[in-house]
Amino acid sequence: MKKFIFLAAAILTTCFAFAQTTSGLDPLVQNVYGRNIQKLNGYWNHFADPLETGYYDYRRQPTPNGFFKDHEVDLVKNYKEYDFDLSPTLAVPGDWNTQDDNLFLYEGTIWFRRVFDYQPHEGKVFLWFGAANYDTKVYLNGEKVGEHIGGYTPFNFDVTDRLANGENTLIVKVDNKRAVDAVPTNNFDWFNYGGITRDVLLVKVPKDFIQTYKVSLKQGTSDVIEVAIKTTKAGETVKVEIPELKISRTATTDENGIARLEARAKMTLWSPENPKLYDVTLASAHDSVKDRIGFKTIATNGHDILLNGKKVFLRGISIHEESAFRSGRIFSAEEGYTLLKWAKELGCNYVRLAHYPHNEQMVRQAEEMGLMVWSEIPVYWTIQWERDDVYANALNQLDEMIERDQNRVGIIIWSIANETPHGEARDRFLSSLARYARAKDNTRLLSMAMERNDKSPEVLSVRDNMSEYVDIIAFNQYLGWYDGLNEKIDRVRWEIDYNKPIVISEMGGGALYGNHGPKDQFWTEEYQAELYTKMLRMIDERMTGVAGLSPWVLKDFRSSRRLLPQIQDGFNRKGLVSDMGQRKQSFYILQKWYETKK
Ligand code: GCU
């Protein structure tokens, strides 16, 4: 009971703290791509506003006549020094950095404007963003709709009563400035792509509609499907149909608009070898949503991970959401598919989508392709653990990640952090996130990428207070790169004293594609290949309990931390594939080793 009170108090404090920085949000509409949508993607007028002239007056107070007023400002009293009509355009979705060389390293506010036509719709309309990085303020026809903090999760606003028949003006302020009290903080090893980076949609639903739902196997069973549906109306009948399983069930929503039902069926469980998905229709008197949903069980037993009750080895790779060839934030299904295809060719049955939730299409593609997924929030490195509003921000991103993808069968692991320094405040912060994740979704495993905490220079280990809160002991290690040279790999011992599955969530080293030399020379393909050869032998011969790995990283990716001329040139070079899609020697070494793990 005490735990429950603590959790409830934590959530209440959080909601209050976060309400101060994210306002006007409405509960996420589940599965927007299965609904009646009007896309607002396209070329939006924009201009940079580094001094926030369009938001603050000279006393640094928010001005009532900001750029979000567009043409309405009284030209006599408030002369205007901006004009969206005369401003250039940027493609939405898309990061601004790779669309305009003048904006490549720009960190600050950009104002976007989209004028669109809207025809009256009987029912409600939500303005939905797939993601915008990082601090987003939204205005419709000159009035503030709301704001959102966080660069990698969807958010939406009920705009039913704010839309005009005919022409509407949508203005969005996106500020990607890094900050020490943000999530992630101002220090992270990936490129700070700014902008409206995913789809913008008008989602048109009936007045009474199905807001969200969860369809999954009931914990501990492999033939009982459990459904929870939330609608906006109490006492209404809802129906779930899965024709291929001859399931057609109804239930009635309670006073909170929630209906629950169970249905027993002999089904084909989803697996990497057979990524079976079923057509599911959820309907109420006025609404109907279609989805493709698979069913699996995921559990642990000692050092083993069990998928559908059978031991599975996670043949993984870590992936950033950055397109190949163009090296920009991924915004299309094709770009995400390219990376996942490479992972399949590597022999993967699992991908670690680092360090933040990737776009919904990629997660759906992964489940169609038979790839298990580790999905993570960007609680990365030195978060400000003591701050309630920072916790609220992280919790909101965790909630939005789970809310969006709770029906994605491929996701087996929710990750709440990456490489966070040990400490009491960090343990409090992360254990609260862990409790929240379990309360929201107990059908998946919980983990985080820990750091090593060795017993001695030669006896390597992982010892972390968070071990009791996670199902999988995952950790990053860079033997042969940040930690000694390749020869060190051959002489270390491991002692990890947890009776839980161990996953090496990161390992690897850098190499410039086409740079050849002796295997003891940093940055050559030969050095990286030698590192992988030794590392994989170490795992086979001198580690116990390893249930999987996701080496760092599939593809060289942009990072402003990587400054070595003629080698890095602004890229992290630990990829098994270059940013131009060229495979390094280590790609084939890992591919061959994965053959032995099938
Ligand atoms: C860390 C971190 C990664 C980073 C990598 C590296 O483990 O988790 O985000 O890119 O090391 O240094 O290449």
Side-chain angles (χ1 to χ4, degrees):
M1 185 57 181
K2 221 163 67 174
K3 267 194 178 178
F4 178 77
I5 292 168
F6 170 86
L7 181 58
I11 293 173
L12 281 174
T13 322
T14 302
C15 295
F16 175 73
F18 201 59
Q20 294 162 345
T21 48
T22 281
S23 68
L25 287 177
D26 286 282
L28 265 182
V29 179
Q30 174 71 232
N31 182 17
V32 292
Y33 295 102
R35 296 176 189 266
N36 174 12
I37 56 177
Q38 175 179 337
K39 284 196 170 188
L40 299 183
N41 296 351
Y43 285 90
W44 294 31
N45 295 98
H46 81 287
F47 50 82
D49 179 12
L51 277 78
E52 316 260 9
T53 312
Y55 187 70
Y56 293 111
D57 61 23
Y58 75 99
R59 290 160 303 171
R60 232 32 209 167
Q61 295 301 316
T63 168
N65 293 313
F67 290 176
F68 44 86
K69 286 295 183 192
D70 195 4
H71 291 296
E72 284 170 32
V73 172
D74 171 341
L75 286 177
V76 175
K77 273 192 295 180
N78 302 285
Y79 61 90
K80 276 193 348 168
E81 293 182 88
Y82 72 97
D83 190 325
F84 281 105
D85 290 337
L86 302 179
S87 301
T89 61
L90 278 179
V92 168
D95 64 83
W96 62 60
N97 316 77
T98 58
Q99 292 192 61
D100 177 342
D101 292 347
N102 299 320
L103 299 175
F104 182 64
L105 287 174
Y106 178 70
E107 294 190 314
T109 283
I110 285 199
W111 291 90
F112 292 87
R113 187 197 69 180
R114 175 75 153 84
V115 178
F116 64 90
D117 183 68
Y118 166 71
Q119 294 308 313
H121 156 77
E122 195 41 46
K124 282 185 177 286
V125 186
F126 286 84
L127 175 58
W128 181 92
F129 291 78
N133 189 40
Y134 171 83
D135 176 339
T136 307
K137 293 175 172 45
V138 178
Y139 306 84
L140 189 56
N141 300 324
E143 296 305 318
K144 182 159 183 195
V145 171
E147 57 189 276
H148 180 266
I149 301 274
Y152 307 95
T153 46
F155 52 98
N156 55 217
F157 307 99
D158 182 344
V159 292
T160 310
D161 303 330
R162 297 173 181 271
L163 286 163
N165 294 346
E167 187 176 281
N168 287 266
T169 298
L170 170 62
I171 289 181
V172 182
K173 176 185 184 291
V174 182
D175 178 358
N176 77 328
K177 272 194 302 294
R178 289 163 296 113
V180 69
D181 60 354
V183 179
T185 67
N186 56 349
N187 184 26
F188 47 86
D189 190 27
W190 65 87
F191 199 81
N192 184 29
Y193 291 113
I196 304 174
T197 50
R198 296 179 191 159
D199 288 342
V200 183
L201 312 172
L202 286 180
V203 186
K204 301 173 183 176
V205 295
K207 186 170 73 62
D208 287 311
F209 65 100
I210 296 170
Q211 184 241 316
T212 187
Y213 53 87
K214 182 151 188 255
V215 182
S216 62
L217 272 179
K218 184 175 182 178
Q219 272 299 73
T221 76
S222 59
D223 61 354
V224 178
I225 293 173
E226 194 173 50
V227 180
I229 302 179
K230 172 138 187 14
T231 77
T232 52
K233 198 170 173 195
E236 72 166 330
T237 301
V238 290
K239 186 174 192 179
V240 177
E241 290 181 296
I242 311 177
E244 202 178 335
L245 294 176
K246 297 185 178 42
I247 289 175
S248 175
R249 284 275 196 296
T250 59
T252 305
T253 56
D254 64 16
E255 66 281 4
N256 301 312
I258 296 174
R260 298 177 192 286
L261 62 88
E262 292 184 3
R264 192 177 292 276
K266 291 266 347 115
M267 71 197 80
T268 302
L269 297 182
W270 181 93
S271 70
E273 297 71 30
N274 183 6
K276 174 70 182 168
L277 299 175
Y278 289 92
D279 289 326
V280 179
T281 304
L282 304 105
S284 64
H286 312 281
D287 196 9
S288 167
V289 189
K290 290 191 180 317
D291 206 338
R292 282 181 52 71
I293 293 178
F295 302 97
K296 58 108 180 25
T297 65
I298 191 76
T300 65
N301 177 21
H303 285 139
D304 297 340
I305 297 174
L306 305 177
L307 176 69
N308 303 328
K310 271 175 50 197
K311 182 177 171 182
V312 67
F313 185 86
L314 304 184
R315 307 189 306 272
I317 192 72
S318 294
I319 299 180
H320 261 299
E321 190 194 21
E322 183 185 272
S323 64
F325 314 112
R326 184 174 61 87
S327 294
R329 182 64 69 217
I330 283 178
F331 62 79
S332 72
E334 293 71 24
E335 289 183 322
Y337 178 73
T338 298
L339 297 185
L340 296 174
K341 193 160 60 68
W342 289 352
K344 289 288 283 185
E345 288 161 9
L346 184 57
C348 296
N349 62 0
Y350 162 71
V351 287
R352 178 187 180 204
L353 299 186
H355 283 293
Y356 38 77
H358 290 203
N359 66 77
E360 185 173 339
Q361 285 91 334
M362 259 179 103
V363 176
R364 285 177 177 274
Q365 285 164 334
E367 66 179 8
E368 299 265 359
M369 297 165 76
L371 287 167
M372 292 177 279
V373 169
W374 159 306
S375 190
E376 179 168 291
I377 52 172
V379 173
Y380 182 94
W381 289 354
T382 56
I383 297 286
Q384 294 224 316
W385 310 111
E386 311 276 0
R387 294 259 299 266
D388 283 349
D389 58 335
V390 173
Y391 176 75
N393 181 354
L395 182 73
N396 187 60
Q397 293 189 48
L398 175 65
D399 184 71
E400 289 173 343
M401 171 175 76
I402 297 177
E403 186 60 32
R404 186 194 79 181
D405 289 342
Q406 57 192 329
N407 294 305
R408 305 282 63 86
V409 66
I411 295 182
I412 59 168
I413 297 167
W414 298 123
S415 167
I416 55 174
N418 179 72
E419 279 190 6
T420 50
H422 298 248
E424 231 179 273
R426 167 263 203 183
D427 292 352
R428 257 196 319 277
F429 189 105
L430 294 183
S431 53
S432 294
L433 289 181
R435 276 190 287 268
Y436 185 84
R438 283 200 196 287
K440 185 167 177 83
D441 175 16
N442 67 354
T443 65
R444 290 176 175 88
L445 303 177
L446 209 53
S447 191
M448 58 185 269
M450 297 172 176
E451 294 182 297
R452 271 179 22 214
N453 181 358
D454 298 338
K455 295 182 178 178
S456 78
E458 259 64 44
V459 181
L460 310 189
S461 187
V462 179
R463 293 175 293 174
D464 192 313
N465 296 342
M466 283 300 297
S467 55
E468 65 174 287
Y469 294 96
V470 297
D471 300 301
I472 290 179
I473 302 291
F475 67 98
N476 300 344
Q477 60 85 9
Y478 282 94
L479 286 168
W481 193 255
Y482 299 122
D483 178 1
L485 299 173
N486 281 339
E487 57 76 32
K488 178 172 181 178
I489 300 171
D490 291 334
R491 58 184 165 78
V492 293
R493 250 178 348 99
W494 289 88
E495 281 182 15
I496 301 177
D497 308 326
Y498 297 119
N499 185 28
K500 294 186 174 180
I502 293 167
V503 168
I504 303 175
S505 36
E506 288 181 34
M507 58 176 242
L512 176 66
Y513 172 78
N515 181 32
H516 295 289
K519 59 186 177 187
D520 61 356
Q521 186 182 322
F522 256 39
W523 300 113
T524 60
E525 284 195 49
E526 287 74 13
Y527 186 92
Q528 189 189 52
E530 176 76 352
L531 184 149
Y532 270 82
T533 303
K534 288 178 176 292
M535 198 75 78
L536 299 172
R537 188 165 57 229
M538 176 191 78
I539 294 170
D540 275 341
E541 297 171 1
R542 282 179 287 123
M543 292 189 82
T544 56
V546 175
L549 59 155
S550 48
W552 194 257
V553 66
L554 176 65
K555 177 191 81 70
D556 292 352
F557 61 92
R558 285 193 201 280
S559 166
S560 302
R561 290 170 54 90
R562 306 299 171 174
L563 308 169
L564 181 59
Q566 298 168 28
I567 296 281
Q568 294 178 316
D569 294 322
F571 280 85
N572 181 311
R573 294 291 182 196
K574 296 186 183 70
L576 301 183
V577 183
S578 77
D579 51 297
M580 297 310 288
Q582 302 142 314
R583 295 173 185 190
K584 303 173 194 175
Q585 291 172 13
S586 40
F587 180 97
Y588 301 103
I589 289 169
L590 184 60
Q591 184 185 53
K592 191 156 166 282
W593 190 74
Y594 277 163
E595 280 297 316
T596 69
K597 295 294 174 188
K598 284 185 174 166

